[in-house]
Structure formats: C-alpha cells, structure tokens
Amino acid sequence: MMPRVLRQCAALARMNILSIPQRIWMSVSTCFAIALVVAVLLVFLAMGNGFKQAQSSAGAADIAIVLRDGAQTEISSTVSREQVMLLEEAPGIARASGKPLLSAELYVIVDGIRRSNGLKSNLPLRGLGVEGAALRHNVRIVQGRMFRSGTNELVVGQGVTREFAGFDLGHTLRLGQTVWTVVGIFADGGTVRESELWADVGVVQSVFHRLNVFQTVRARLASPAALATLKSHVANDPRLQLVVESEAEYFSEQAKQSSGLIQNLGWPLAIIMAIGALAGALNTMYSSVAARGTEIATLRAIGFGGIPTFAGTLAEALALSIVGGLFGVLAATVVFNGYSASTLSSNFTQVIFTFKMTPALCVRALWLAITIGLIGGILPAIRAARLPIVGMLGEQ
Amino acid sequence: MNQALLVAKNLGRRKLRTGLMLLALLIAFFLYGCLESFDRAFYASQNSAADNRLVSVNKVNFTLPLPISYGAQIGLVPGVSAVSYQSWFGGYYQDPRQFLIMFASDPAGYLAVYPNLQVTPAERTAWLADRTGLLVGRTVATKYHWHVGDHVPISSNIYTRAKGSHTWDFTISGIYSFPTDPAREGQVIMRHDYFDETVTFGRDTINMVMFTTKSAALNEAVIKRIDTQFANSPYETTTDTAAAFNRAFASQLGNIALIIRLVLISAFAAILLIVGNTMVMAVRERTREIGVLKTLGFSGTAIMMQILAESMLLSVTGALLGLAVAGLLITGLKDVIAGFAPGMHLAWQEVVGALGWAVVLGLATGGLPAWSGLKLRIATALGRI
C-alpha cells in the first residue's frame, strides 16, 4: 500500500514541476519575489556577521587590557603614569630579559575624510608603547614599514586606506599643529584594528597636550591562566582603581554592545516582505490548481489518491520557493559578499568591516524561502486534494 | 450599468485573489510608510537647523577639547548674535546601558541659541537660578518618569569627582519640548559651572561652541574670521553650519538612506511582479467577456480605461491600507520608537509619496493587460477559449 502512495506522490510531483513552464510568468514572478526576500535577509545577516566578527575576532586570550574602573570603552578610560609604573611590577605579566611586555596607550579621535561622500568621520589614532605592535599577534605590515619611536610617523590599518582618503603610503597629513607621514600599512585579518591609525605614544601625548596621560594598558600574560593572578592583584591595590580583562573578553563585550538597530533589522524586514511574497506564492499555487482542475479530476478518476494530489501541489510550491531561495542566496553573495562598509562603534570611532556570508547564514535564509513555499503550498494543495471529481469533469 | 460598477464587479469576482493582491500591496506600502518616516526623522536634525546657526569644534575632531574662553571670544566676532558652548558628559542613569545624550552648557547662552526650545518661564528661571539644575527633554523625562522638582543621581562614564565618585546629584528644573527638532527632546542639559566646579579633570574645556549669526548671509565671513583667529594656536577650530555638522555626524552611522532605498526597491520590485502578473492573468481569463463588451459597443479605450482603473483602484487601496497599518504601528509603539528615532511619525510627505508610487504601480501593473485589452480583436477574443 505505502509504496504505491509514494510512487503516486513522486509521479504527481514530477508532473506538477514539469508543467511549471505552462504557468511560466506567474511562477517566475513568485520565484523572483522569494529571491528578493531571501537576498534582503541574507545581506542584513551578512552585514551583522561581518560587523560582529571584525570586533570579536580581534581579541586574544593571552593579552590583558586594563581600563579605569567603570569605563566601558577605551575612549572613556584614563590611566595615569603612576598606575602604569605600578602595573609594570604586577604579577602575571610576561617578561622578556627582565622587562615587562606591556604597552601604555593613548587613544585620540581624529577626522578622516570618507572616500564615498567626502564627509568627515571619526577615526581612532592610537599611541602605542614600544611593545605595542608585538602585543598584536596577527598584525603584519603589508606596505612600507613600522613607525619609529619619537617621530611623527603613522602606520595605518588597511581598512582605513580602503574607506578614507589621504592615508595612502607616503602621504602626509596635518593633525593639530603637526604634520604626519604615513610610513606603513598594516593588515590584521579584517578585524577592528584595521580601522586604526598607529603612532608613538609619546608623540601623540605631546601633540594632543596629554602629557603623562594614558587611556589603556595592554600586557602580554605569562599564560592565559595568569589573568586571574593579575586581576586579583589589581583589585587588591587601592592605588590602582582599574579593571583587567582579557582582550578576548573585552572585544566580545564590545561586539555585544554595538550590534545596533541596523544589524537587527534583517529578520523583521524579511518576515514582513515574506508575507508579501507569500501572497504571491498563494496566488500562483491557487491558479495552478485552478488551471489543472480537469487534469487533477482525471487523475483522481483513474485512481490517484488525495494524498498524492496534495503532495504534488506542495512539491510544486516547494520547488518554486527553493529555486527562488537559491537564486536569492546566489545574487546576494555575488553582489554583497566582501562589500566594505563602516559604522560607529561604542568607542565612538568608525569600525570598518566587510559583509560576510557563511554557509550557516545561507541555510538560515533558505529556510525562510522553504517556509514561504510550505505555507504557500499547503492551502492550495488541500484545495487540490478536495476538488470534486464529478464537478470538474462535468464542467467542459 | 456604468463603468465603475464593472470595475468593482471585476475586482469582486475572485475575492481571494483580490485579497492576496491587496495584502502584497499593503506590505509594500507599510514598509514604505515606516521606512520613509524613519528616514525623515533620522535626517530631521540636518534639515531643521536654522540656517544662521553655526558650530565651532576642534579642528582635529569634535571630541577633542577647546578652551572654555573660546565661547566668549567667538561672542565678540562681528555678526555673531548669540553664543553658547557644551561639553559631552557621558552621562547615564543608574545603569551604564541607560546612557543619556547629556551635555554641560551655559544656561543663558543655551536658551538664547535655541529660541525654539520651549519651557515655562518658571522652569527657565529655576534653571538659571539653580547650579545643580537640569533641563530634560520631554522624551527622556517620559522614559524615566521624571518630573520637575525631582532629585536624580546621574553618573558619568568619563568624568570623576573628588573621592573617586562618578555620580552627581541634580534637581530637574524644567522639562522642555522642541517642536522644530524633536530629536533634541532626547537630550539632557546640565550647567557647565556645576561641571567645572566638580570634575577632577577636563575643567574649563568644552567640545563645541554653538552660536547664531545676525543673518545667514554673514556666515561665510564669520566662519573665516573665527577659524583664522584660532589658526596656529594649540586649539585650532573648524566652523561650519549646524546643518552641515549634523549631516556629517549622521553619515557616521552608515548610509542609512541607501539601505532604506535598497530595501524599498526590493519590496516594490517583488510586489510589482506579483501584482502585475496576477493582473495579466485576471484579464486573460476575461478575454471572452472583453470580446462581448466590445461587440456591445464598448470602445477599446473604454476597456483599457476599465482595466487601468481596476489596477489603480487596487494599488491605491493597498497603499492606503498599508499607510494606515504603518500609522497605527508608529503611534502604538511611540515610546519604543522615541528611543532610536525621536519625532518619527507618519506625515503628509509619506502619504503624498505613497500615493504617487501607488499611481506608478497601478499604471505599471495594469499597463500590459490594458494594452492587450485595447488591441484585442473581437474575432480573436470570441474565438479563443
């Protein structure tokens, strides 16, 4: 019994799908509507994902970041020279030939001119200590060289050169009363660091009238486990009033805080649009059932059951939605994967990131298409299964 | 039997199909209503700023400080009519996640530079008299249930006061509305003298000087004069109109306008295809009837107009329904929306825009079937089954 029903289902599914060309424009428009819904969803998901990854993948577990107690971000933190000196003696920090691997840093916001619209945007200029660059594992200079201490030299993340004008290798720019030269471009695997400008901390302090003031301290931990040692040491010294986090913790918190309105708009928008596409799918499938009325009645008369009739119609709806969905995924990926954009982070500076499609996101978007197909197919399929045989055959 | 009745009968003949087309149209115009009114609210600040209002900020970036004396110095520049200044306070209420858009400013200057800020004379006097007084925008007051006279503790995520405390006590002097720029109702203004007296660092510095000129015609000369005056000093300035400054600031969040346009284009393209195809199909079903109508003496133009009227009626109805739903939603979620798009509401701009698009959509979806209705020959129509 069962195999016969299955065979009938397969036969009718095949028949329905092969007859799609008879209703080609109706079917194409439904496919296209579903493709658009899927594409909108996927682009938003890829944008959110790219933005999140730029931040969350930047943090290392064996680097500690020290902020003023109560500061949520680097920009609102302050650390004095005395506190830096106390930290240099703190346990848990790795040392090389007796010197602690630590960089006290100053973070200043400067203007950059966006290539796309010529408007000013906030860019972070980070003053690094001698060990600063070595505390970033994955950073490598892709053009030029590192800045030299004590000079007005800048190295620039490659995200900045991509999105902002005037930061190409060899360019000079004026920040405050000082002229700076871009001597190098660095890459860091697409993380938020590629949105930064780096220079010598002493020079940044003097140019921006912030002598002896730092904002954060980064330190290499003797091991990831040493984080707890350093944390409790800092917490127990009343002179410090600082908090210690691993860089990984810090960045994942940043990613959480700054996933804003736009990143979360994808699902609501896609669901609303999906309702519109669903109306189209229902229309297509009802007219498909209406057009095949005689055919369905004939099949029923020669012994095909209600279930195969139902399954055949549903198969057609699913085929349309899957084709539409795949097309949407393809189009969104071709046009938007790797698309570069930037927005404000919780540090009040631009985070430059690229849209990142992943197979998991594509599958999620495809599920939306399949849902539209299922809902858009079930009701017309029920109608198909219930068509009165006598009435339909008698009509003509 | 007149033409209008025929149009109505045609739409009513397959109620489910008409209903589904209306639903699709409703969705498109619902999105249009929501996104366009969001867009208008989001960009309101750059369009509503008076054209004689200017701002001076640190040339390197507006987050960097300027000396507080720049306020008075800019006030002396010929052509400047009112001056104020502000510092970003980094304020939050109770929890760092409940951050406030909070500035420290000089009260008399602030009220002079923003004459459209509305408070009662009693509240104005109270703020001018009380150093710990706070002027609170209506949206913020509603959100935290604050009333005039309340004492509220507010913390700063940047500044500290003596003994390492991060919390300041304020008395709410007044709650203001700002009809010309509702986004400003989401702000909180403390007094700069209270700030200077209590912070452990950052004293006597500001982030921005806001001022008005006697006439927008003087803007260029005033801008040049100010920026030249402070050139080659440790704190150089860049001066611009408030509108231009706001535009650059809004663009920092990303190209919101582009995102909105792309989403709307996608939604309309999808709906155009769905409704257009359905119309083609609906008219093809009626081929015989059209033949009969033509035999009865209806001209080709009359048939064409009938079909266009049908598609137009459909899309205008869909547009009105969509706008109605959008309007209800925006009104219903007013308090939530005030948090990210203060002043967002559906206005005539959206209604006119939506109706314009409804007409375009109606023509586009009805165009092809109307054309075939016009051209259809009676013999073909009656011959075709």
Side-chain angles (χ1 to χ4, degrees):
Chain A
M1 184 63 201
M2 212 40 208
R4 192 164 72 101
V5 172
L6 284 183
R7 272 205 311 279
Q8 287 189 352
C9 285
L12 286 193
R14 185 162 169 270
M15 205 161 153
N16 274 38
I17 290 168
L18 288 179
S19 74
I20 286 176
Q22 290 168 15
R23 298 172 297 281
I24 186 71
W25 290 113
M26 207 60 208
S27 309
V28 165
S29 73
T30 301
C31 267
F32 196 76
I34 291 173
L36 281 167
V37 174
V38 167
V40 166
L41 175 63
L42 190 55
V43 169
F44 272 91
L45 292 179
M47 174 165 69
N49 182 42
F51 180 67
K52 218 180 191 165
Q53 271 197 20
Q55 304 199 57
S56 58
S57 62
D62 64 341
I63 301 288
I65 173 164
V66 186
L67 301 167
R68 172 177 68 78
D69 188 17
Q72 306 269 311
T73 53
E74 291 191 73
I75 189 66
S76 53
S77 172
T78 44
V79 179
S80 68
R81 179 167 299 280
E82 294 70 39
Q83 289 172 323
V84 173
M85 285 160 70
L86 287 168
L87 282 170
E88 283 173 349
E89 306 301 323
I93 294 177
R95 285 160 195 280
S97 52
K99 275 183 57 192
L101 297 174
L102 168 148
S103 159
E105 302 180 352
L106 183 65
Y107 189 95
V108 182
I109 303 180
V110 301
D111 280 341
I113 304 292
R114 227 183 248 266
R115 287 187 199 270
S116 63
N117 59 13
L119 294 175
K120 289 178 194 167
S121 280
N122 294 0
L123 290 177
L125 167 61
R126 185 185 290 280
L128 297 177
V130 185
E131 298 291 340
L135 294 180
R136 276 104 177 153
H137 299 293
N138 298 320
V139 167
R140 60 198 167 82
I141 299 282
V142 289
Q143 279 181 57
R145 57 172 173 82
M146 201 45 166
F147 65 80
R148 285 179 308 221
S149 316
T151 62
N152 298 341
E153 291 178 344
L154 283 177
V155 293
V156 173
Q158 63 178 5
V160 174
T161 49
R162 195 169 66 223
E163 290 286 314
F164 290 86
F167 294 101
D168 299 310
L169 188 65
H171 275 225
T172 55
L173 57 137
R174 201 161 162 255
L175 299 172
Q177 288 166 291
T178 317
V179 176
W180 300 75
T181 309
V182 179
V183 298
I185 312 280
F186 66 87
D188 186 40
T191 70
V192 62
R193 276 195 266 278
E194 290 186 1
S195 312
E196 297 185 347
L197 316 172
W198 287 356
D200 178 61
V201 66
V203 179
V204 175
Q205 282 175 325
S206 84
V207 168
F208 291 93
H209 323 291
R210 307 272 276 276
L211 291 175
N212 289 324
V213 177
F214 302 91
Q215 263 154 318
T216 55
V217 174
R218 270 187 169 70
R220 165 149 304 150
L221 294 162
S223 72
L227 181 67
T229 319
L230 183 61
K231 268 187 179 173
S232 72
H233 173 82
V234 169
N236 291 326
D237 189 337
R239 291 168 297 178
L240 286 174
Q241 307 247 343
L242 302 169
V243 284
V244 183
E245 285 175 288
S246 77
E247 222 187 18
E249 286 169 345
Y250 174 78
F251 278 114
S252 72
E253 185 57 31
Q254 294 293 302
K256 231 182 279 168
Q257 276 182 21
S258 42
S259 60
L261 177 68
I262 301 164
Q263 283 80 27
N264 295 327
L265 220 54
W267 275 108
L269 273 178
I271 287 172
I272 291 166
M273 283 181 68
I275 297 172
L278 178 61
L282 279 169
N283 244 340
T284 307
M285 292 316 298
Y286 274 126
S287 49
S288 159
V289 172
R292 290 183 296 109
T294 315
E295 175 190 314
I296 293 171
T298 313
L299 289 166
R300 297 296 304 276
I302 61 172
F304 280 84
I307 293 172
T309 318
F310 176 88
T313 307
L314 193 58
E316 180 184 344
L318 283 176
L320 289 179
S321 69
I322 290 171
V323 170
L326 286 173
F327 185 69
V329 167
L330 190 73
T333 308
V334 167
V335 179
F336 282 101
N337 197 21
Y339 182 83
S340 173
S342 73
T343 188
L344 271 189
S345 72
S346 51
N347 256 323
F348 216 56
T349 54
Q350 292 291 315
V351 173
I352 300 154
F353 63 97
T354 53
F355 289 23
K356 278 205 169 65
M357 312 280 174
T358 62
L361 295 182
C362 294
V363 167
R364 252 190 271 173
L366 270 179
W367 273 115
L368 183 68
I370 291 170
T371 310
I372 298 173
L374 265 181
I375 301 176
I378 282 178
L379 295 173
I382 290 174
R383 176 180 286 186
R386 287 192 175 161
L387 276 182
I389 300 175
V390 179
M392 290 312 287
L393 288 177
E395 205 174 55
Q396 301 226 329
Chain B
M1 191 142 138
N2 62 21
Q3 302 252 23
L5 186 65
L6 273 180
V7 171
K9 285 273 174 205
N10 276 332
L11 279 175
R13 96 169 59 203
R14 282 185 193 251
K15 294 200 176 55
L16 179 65
R17 184 164 71 196
T18 307
L20 287 172
M21 280 198 283
L22 273 180
L23 177 67
L25 286 160
L26 184 156
I27 292 286
F29 284 99
F30 167 75
L31 284 176
Y32 181 88
C34 291
L35 293 177
E36 287 292 317
S37 45
F38 173 78
D39 185 69
R40 199 165 43 76
F42 184 77
Y43 290 104
S45 301
Q46 58 183 263
N47 300 322
S48 66
D51 58 1
N52 68 333
R53 202 147 58 71
L54 283 77
V55 297
S56 292
V57 294
N58 190 307
K59 193 178 178 182
V60 179
N61 182 262
F62 65 84
T63 57
L64 292 172
L66 292 174
I68 197 167
S69 62
Y70 277 28
Q73 291 185 55
I74 287 174
L76 295 175
V77 171
V80 172
S81 52
V83 192
S84 182
Y85 49 79
Q86 67 186 22
S87 298
W88 174 254
F89 186 61
Y92 63 89
Y93 179 55
Q94 291 173 338
D95 184 308
R97 273 166 298 189
Q98 296 192 37
F99 71 91
L100 299 166
I101 303 172
M102 181 164 173
F103 299 97
S105 184
D106 67 312
Y110 196 85
L111 294 169
V113 171
Y114 298 107
N116 294 330
L117 181 149
Q118 294 183 353
V119 277
T120 66
E123 289 172 332
R124 174 184 292 256
T125 316
W127 194 42
L128 291 171
D130 181 4
R131 191 181 287 245
T132 66
L134 202 61
L135 211 54
V136 179
R138 203 169 55 171
T139 320
V140 185
T142 312
K143 184 173 177 191
Y144 296 115
H145 309 290
W146 290 345
H147 302 283
V148 174
D150 284 0
H151 297 283
V152 289
I154 291 177
S155 310
S156 169
N157 60 26
I158 303 171
Y159 296 101
T160 45
R161 51 192 305 179
K163 292 182 200 134
S165 160
H166 297 297
T167 307
W168 276 255
D169 293 309
F170 294 96
T171 309
I172 295 177
S173 307
I175 293 170
Y176 66 87
S177 60
F178 209 118
T180 53
D181 185 1
R184 290 195 168 271
E185 294 174 1
Q187 301 185 357
V188 178
I189 317 296
M190 68 181 283
R191 288 177 48 148
H192 212 283
D193 46 4
Y194 186 37
F195 174 87
D196 285 333
E197 186 185 277
T198 46
V199 290
T200 53
F201 61 93
R203 189 172 294 140
D204 296 328
T205 65
I206 53 177
N207 294 124
M208 176 189 281
V209 180
M210 309 86 86
F211 60 97
T212 51
T213 55
K214 290 185 179 117
S215 131
L218 300 171
N219 287 359
E220 211 171 313
V222 170
I223 288 173
K224 205 166 173 191
R225 172 81 190 260
I226 294 172
D227 290 343
T228 319
Q229 182 174 337
F230 299 118
N232 300 314
S233 77
Y235 298 96
E236 295 188 312
T237 56
T238 175
T239 305
D240 217 331
T241 61
F245 180 84
N246 292 342
R247 190 175 312 129
F249 183 70
S251 81
Q252 292 225 34
L253 286 174
N255 199 338
I256 307 286
L258 178 71
I259 294 175
I260 288 177
R261 294 291 108 75
L262 286 178
V263 170
L264 284 180
I265 288 171
S266 312
F268 274 83
I271 272 55
L272 175 73
L273 279 168
I274 289 170
V275 177
N277 262 300
T278 314
M279 281 300 295
V280 168
M281 193 174 64
V283 171
R284 187 174 302 142
E285 276 176 16
R286 299 206 295 262
T287 304
R288 271 177 93 87
E289 281 169 46
I290 292 171
V292 172
L293 284 176
K294 283 197 169 176
T295 319
L296 289 174
F298 280 84
S299 67
T301 328
I303 301 289
M304 180 179 82
M305 294 313 278
Q306 248 181 47
I307 296 170
L308 278 181
E310 193 179 329
S311 66
M312 206 71 90
L313 183 64
L314 203 62
S315 68
V316 171
T317 313
L320 292 176
L321 287 173
L323 286 177
V325 177
L328 282 176
L329 186 89
I330 293 170
T331 320
L333 295 180
K334 215 169 166 181
D335 293 342
V336 181
I337 290 170
F340 61 87
M344 173 174 161
H345 65 286
L346 203 65
W348 62 269
Q349 289 97 320
E350 285 78 48
V351 177
V352 171
L355 289 178
W357 283 112
V359 170
V360 173
L361 209 58
L363 286 175
T365 54
L368 195 64
W371 180 254
S372 59
L374 172 74
K375 288 288 158 193
L376 189 66
R377 297 221 310 262
I378 297 176
T380 327
L382 296 181
R384 215 199 263 180
I385 296 175

